[in-house]
Amino acid sequence: MKLLILGGTAWLGHQTAAAALAKGHDVTCAARGSSGEPPAGTTFLQVDRDADDGLAAAAQEHWDAVIDVSRQPGQVRRSVRDLRTAADFYVFVSTGNVYASQREFGQDEDAPLLAPLAADVMDSMESYGPAKVACEQAVAAGFGDGSHAIVRAGLIGGPGDTSGRSGYWPLRFAQGGPVLVPDVPHQPTQLIDVRDLAQWLVLVAEQRTAGVFNAVGKTLPFSEHLAEAAAAAGAMEPGARNSRVADTALPLISAPAPPQWLSEQGVNEWSGPRSLPLWLEDPDWHGMNARSNARAHSAGLRLRPLRQTLKDTLAWEEAAGVGRPRGAGLTLAEEHDLLARLADTDSLLPDGT
């Protein structure tokens, strides 16, 4: 293919460009270049997608396929306008945040969506879902049935994940216990490796697989995710279980804490400073980690084992620097303080457990 990637310098776009190069395709990355360098071997086309004529040069060539990762409706509307006669197929990377409800388990691609953002610019993350809906609609209207794919990605992890959400747990288990964890063993988690997603995006472009797809990982209970993270770090023997929580696979070195207690201590959910990554207390959001990927699997999406993803992410975290600031998790000092408070709380219980 002669492939145009609108992006290609940041994490997913870079991985997608590298995957396309590995398949022998002629790859052009069109971006500002402010997020980094595209993979060696690609052609770099410096563009400003916020300018009305930002893709004028790209529109002068013919492309077998385009892969677009933008979140700004105006950028996508202009891209579709300028490339609809220059490209045979358009792959748009959307998100599971487009769905109107994040509560139900097992929802597929036909679930209701949020209302689209009318503006051209998404000015806050509160508008992320509506903005992606507007982008999807622009692609569908411009390229029509059979000439485009909408790929709704779930939580992406793996090497290069600067958010810290996929790297925190294996890194923390590798540093030694006890490890403070939320006592939510049955809460679903769902992580897709960035490399698996990138390779599948290229496959969709190659085969011109039209349609709408949830590109998400396998759903696992939180306890199993933690067990895989501990195993990836070499901190858990096969079959080992934590006796403090019945009927779970929590690693022996974990220290489970009640969600309400964590909230009272100012521990945040999901990501960000002073957080326990992937934890979601509100059941209205649990379905976001339990969506069906059956349609994407039928279209060739293949997922590596979660343990391998976490092991590779741990290696990347350690190479990047264990002491560097991260976008999610607790510092060791914060965790030490919380574990001491938790121990004091436990000592007040009637049976001392």
Side-chain angles (χ1 to χ4, degrees):
M1 290 186 299
K2 186 177 180 183
L3 178 65
L4 175 65
I5 297 179
L6 298 177
T9 57
W11 188 36
L12 176 58
H14 191 280
Q15 288 281 351
T16 303
L21 283 173
K23 297 290 292 290
H25 299 304
D26 179 356
V27 183
T28 295
C29 296
R32 283 193 180 95
S34 57
S35 299
E37 297 291 330
T42 63
T43 299
F44 178 60
L45 180 63
Q46 190 168 34
V47 302
D48 180 2
R49 294 186 65 185
D50 290 331
D52 187 65
D53 61 349
L55 291 178
Q60 299 304 310
E61 301 187 42
H62 175 265
W63 308 97
D64 294 303
V66 174
I67 298 177
D68 187 0
V69 299
S70 178
R71 63 179 62 179
Q72 299 294 355
Q75 291 183 354
V76 176
R77 290 170 183 139
R78 289 186 291 272
S79 300
V80 170
R81 178 199 67 192
D82 295 343
L83 299 175
R84 72 175 72 188
T85 59
D88 295 333
F89 196 79
Y90 202 104
V91 181
F92 180 69
V93 182
S94 188
T95 172
N97 292 68
V98 298
Y99 291 108
S101 173
Q102 302 289 346
R103 183 182 181 87
E104 294 78 14
F105 288 20
Q107 283 196 109
D108 64 15
E109 294 82 354
D110 297 325
L113 305 182
L114 296 167
L117 185 70
D120 278 348
V121 177
M122 182 197 86
D123 56 9
S124 75
M125 285 305 295
E126 292 181 359
S127 300
Y128 180 55
K132 284 287 197 177
V133 174
C135 294
E136 288 187 10
Q137 291 184 352
V139 172
F143 276 81
D145 293 343
S147 296
H148 74 279
I150 303 294
V151 177
R152 294 171 181 158
L155 177 64
I156 306 171
D161 179 12
T162 57
S163 80
R165 288 175 297 192
S166 62
Y168 175 79
W169 292 114
L171 178 61
R172 183 60 197 85
F173 281 115
Q175 292 170 323
V179 178
L180 183 69
V181 305
D183 189 2
V184 290
H186 305 298
Q187 180 210 301
T189 66
Q190 192 172 44
L191 180 74
I192 186 169
D193 192 298
V194 65
R195 297 164 294 182
D196 296 337
L197 176 56
Q199 289 166 9
W200 187 63
L201 290 173
V202 175
L203 180 66
V204 168
E206 287 174 343
Q207 299 185 350
R208 298 187 185 180
T209 307
V212 181
F213 305 92
N214 289 332
V216 295
K218 180 181 179 181
T219 297
L220 292 175
F222 205 111
S223 59
E224 290 190 29
H225 185 102
L226 292 176
E228 291 298 318
M236 178 175 172
E237 295 297 327
R241 296 292 181 265
N242 189 312
S243 61
R244 290 189 53 177
V245 183
D247 300 322
T248 75
L250 285 173
L252 282 167
I253 62 173
S254 63
Q260 182 177 351
W261 182 87
L262 290 170
S263 296
E264 291 170 352
Q265 307 306 310
V267 179
N268 296 310
E269 304 170 37
W270 191 247
S271 66
R274 196 177 169 81
S275 68
L276 288 177
L278 310 188
W279 166 41
L280 286 169
E281 182 62 9
D282 188 351
D284 283 345
W285 286 93
H286 286 182
M288 71 178 285
N289 290 317
R291 294 203 175 275
S292 170
N293 63 4
R295 191 181 297 181
H297 188 270
S298 295
L301 175 63
R302 296 296 178 264
L303 304 171
R304 71 194 67 204
L306 176 62
R307 187 177 305 182
Q308 187 63 56
T309 295
L310 297 178
K311 185 176 181 179
D312 294 347
T313 308
L314 171 60
W316 175 81
E317 287 276 8
E318 291 176 334
V322 172
R324 66 184 176 83
R326 284 175 178 78
L330 300 171
T331 67
L332 290 177
E334 288 170 340
E335 186 184 30
H336 179 78
D337 176 62
L338 289 164
L339 286 169
R341 296 187 202 179
L342 182 64
D344 289 341
T345 301
D346 286 351
S347 68
L348 298 177
L349 296 176
D351 60 359
T353 62

